[in-house]
Amino acid sequence: QKEVEQNSGPLSVPEGAIASLNCTYSDRGSQSFFWYRQYSGKSPELIMSIYSNGDKEDGRFTAQLNKASQYVSLLIRDSQPSDSATYLCAVKRVSNFGNEKLTFGTGTRLTIIP
Amino acid sequence: NAGVMQNPRHLVRRRGQEARLRCSPMKGHSHVYWYRQLPEEGLKFMVYLQKENIIDESGMPKERFSAEFPKEGPSILRIQQVVRGDSAAYFCASSLGTENTGELFFGEGSRLTVL
């Protein structure tokens, strides 16, 4: 089982609709959860972080975390063509060496259709 | 405040040559991470370094790959005797400390092509 799993997509959503991206993780000891956006040929950039169960909203973005189900999601409301990118789910956990590190999923490619 | 700086942005090597990738973290950041990204895949952790120390190299291949972060100067990821399978984008990221591990700031990446 992969440590962090995402549906690779592609996920196509009409402009103005809600895009829903999902992620599951295997380590129950994971502490913090992040969504990064990566445009083609560019570096990842942090867009959301969430640390406790429930929802966290930031503008058009809402992150949802359910630790019991080991599930984290990202909702994008009023999707825009500029939201077309690959979205990477990342989970912070303690490694076997005792340090904390981020483990990334393979990413979901999102395309917003005008 | 300059971001994470990586160079070269693009590097072409023939099989058997050496590749050296450099990363200067954001000002004030003492923690450096290297990730590798193959086409259509996610970021794979390679190594985590602090100044003069390798903290976690669990993602580094056992042979040909090495990393350092000297007291002065950039962090360097070195790949000896490159093979075609080493072709990938190599991203460096930095953070203030482990408390902020999730808030990694990434460089633009170095794209290695092995002919």
Side-chain angles (χ1 to χ4, degrees):
Chain A
Q1 182 185 10
K2 290 183 180 178
E3 294 177 38
V4 181
E5 291 206 58
Q6 296 181 253
N7 188 330
S8 61
L11 175 66
S12 296
V13 173
E15 184 175 357
I18 296 176
S20 178
L21 305 164
N22 304 315
C23 173
T24 58
Y25 58 95
S26 61
D27 185 355
R28 285 196 172 273
S30 299
Q31 304 157 323
S32 311
F33 308 87
F34 307 87
W35 284 98
Y36 281 77
R37 179 177 61 199
Q38 185 176 26
Y39 292 113
S40 181
K42 298 295 185 181
S43 60
E45 57 176 327
L46 179 67
I47 56 171
M48 287 288 285
S49 59
I50 188 166
Y51 306 98
S52 54
N53 281 328
D55 294 0
K56 179 182 177 182
E57 187 175 318
D58 183 1
R60 296 186 296 111
F61 298 96
T62 298
Q64 300 175 317
L65 175 61
N66 184 326
K67 289 187 178 181
S69 300
Q70 296 175 239
Y71 175 90
V72 58
S73 66
L74 179 70
L75 301 178
I76 307 174
R77 289 182 300 281
D78 187 24
S79 298
Q80 304 296 311
S82 59
D83 295 327
S84 297
T86 296
Y87 289 80
L88 301 167
C89 174
V91 174
K92 184 166 80 170
R93 48 184 284 275
V94 178
S95 77
N96 294 336
F97 295 88
N99 60 288
E100 295 176 326
K101 70 179 185 184
L102 272 189
T103 299
F104 285 83
T106 54
T108 298
R109 192 188 312 170
L110 174 65
T111 301
I112 306 302
I113 304 169
Chain B
N1 188 13
V4 178
M5 304 298 292
Q6 287 189 250
N7 69 83
R9 293 289 308 279
H10 299 275
L11 182 64
V12 179
R13 285 287 180 266
R14 296 189 181 279
R15 282 179 295 170
Q17 292 184 317
E18 178 180 287
R20 281 190 182 224
L21 311 177
R22 296 174 204 78
C23 169
S24 295
M26 283 185 71
K27 187 175 182 179
H29 286 193
S30 59
H31 298 248
V32 167
Y33 307 78
W34 285 93
Y35 285 82
R36 176 164 63 178
Q37 187 173 41
L38 295 168
E40 307 301 321
E41 293 190 13
L43 293 161
K44 298 293 186 186
F45 170 80
M46 298 183 74
V47 63
Y48 161 44
L49 310 103
Q50 296 177 22
K51 282 287 188 181
E52 299 184 276
N53 286 306
I54 297 174
I55 306 301
D56 181 352
E57 56 181 348
S58 57
M60 290 275 275
K62 292 290 186 278
E63 298 176 347
R64 302 188 297 108
F65 285 73
S66 62
E68 63 176 5
F69 189 15
K71 186 177 180 180
E72 301 290 337
S75 175
I76 294 175
L77 179 66
R78 181 184 180 202
I79 312 173
Q80 295 177 290
Q81 299 174 328
V82 296
V83 300
R84 288 209 175 116
D86 296 333
S87 296
Y90 292 83
F91 286 97
C92 170
S94 71
S95 71
L96 277 171
T98 56
E99 299 79 19
N100 304 91
T101 305
E103 298 193 42
L104 294 183
F105 295 85
F106 282 85
E108 290 294 319
S110 292
R111 284 156 181 80
L112 172 66
T113 301
V114 180
L115 301 178

